[in-house]
């Protein structure tokens, strides 16, 4: 259920619709009341919140907080921190991006073994985006040149295959050709 909501386009769309439901229910109700039940001008005190307003605001805030708390573990930074805490071994890989290619210290990985990508750009803004063989983006890093330390992210591949790397920050005339490939093989134990 949560994987569906946070990791697919239809899930994001469903979540957006869920946020509309309170509005879609409350708005026709108010119009109905003003037309048929009590058409007189309102006499609410603008300095005081009604019970309904309080309930609405509290539930909107609660929904916002709960959805965010649930989704935070899906963020690449949260996953990186969690893996760094628990994994016995993390394979280190250095990536240097320049117009218009990548220098990658290792392009072959094993299923189930966490990899720490330490990525930097030496000239201009670049991206380091890794795609699952099915075409979905697994993670995306934006590389700002001139940083003291490379940006790092830990990722654990779960399936063997060819993983495309692409730059998703427009970086000049040959940006579209800035691609590479990683290979993930089955673990040998
Ligand atoms: Cu680019």
């Amino acid at each position: 259920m949560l994987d569906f909501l946070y990791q697919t386009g239809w899930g994001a769309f469903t979540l957006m619709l869920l946020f509309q439901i309170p509005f879609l229910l409350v708005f026709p109700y108010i119009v109905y009341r003003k037309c048929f039940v009590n058409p007189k001008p309102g006499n609410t005190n603008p300095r005081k919140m009604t019970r309904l307003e309080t309930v609405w605001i509290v539930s909107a805030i609660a929904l916002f907080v709960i959805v965010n708390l649930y989704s935070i573990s899906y963020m690449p930074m949260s996953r990186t921190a969690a893996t760094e805490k628990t994994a016995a071994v993390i394979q280190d890989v250095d990536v240097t991006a320049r117009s218009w290619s990548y220098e990658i210290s290792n392009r072959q990985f094993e299923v189930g073994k966490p990899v720490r990508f330490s990525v930097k750009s030496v000239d201009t803004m670049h991206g380091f985006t890794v795609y699952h063989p099915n075409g979905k983006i697994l993670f995306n890093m934006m590389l700002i040149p001139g940083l003291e330390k490379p940006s790092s992210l830990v990722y654990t591949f779960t399936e063997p295959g060819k993983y495309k790397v692409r730059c998703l920050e427009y970086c000049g005339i040959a940006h579209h050709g800035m691609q590479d490939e990683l290979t993930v093989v089955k673990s040998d134990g």
Side-chain angles (χ1 to χ4, degrees), residues 100 125-127 167-172 175 178:
W100 292 279
M125 285 283 271
H126 291 294
C167 170
L168 292 192
E169 298 293 329
Y170 181 70
C171 56
H175 160 69
M178 192 164 167

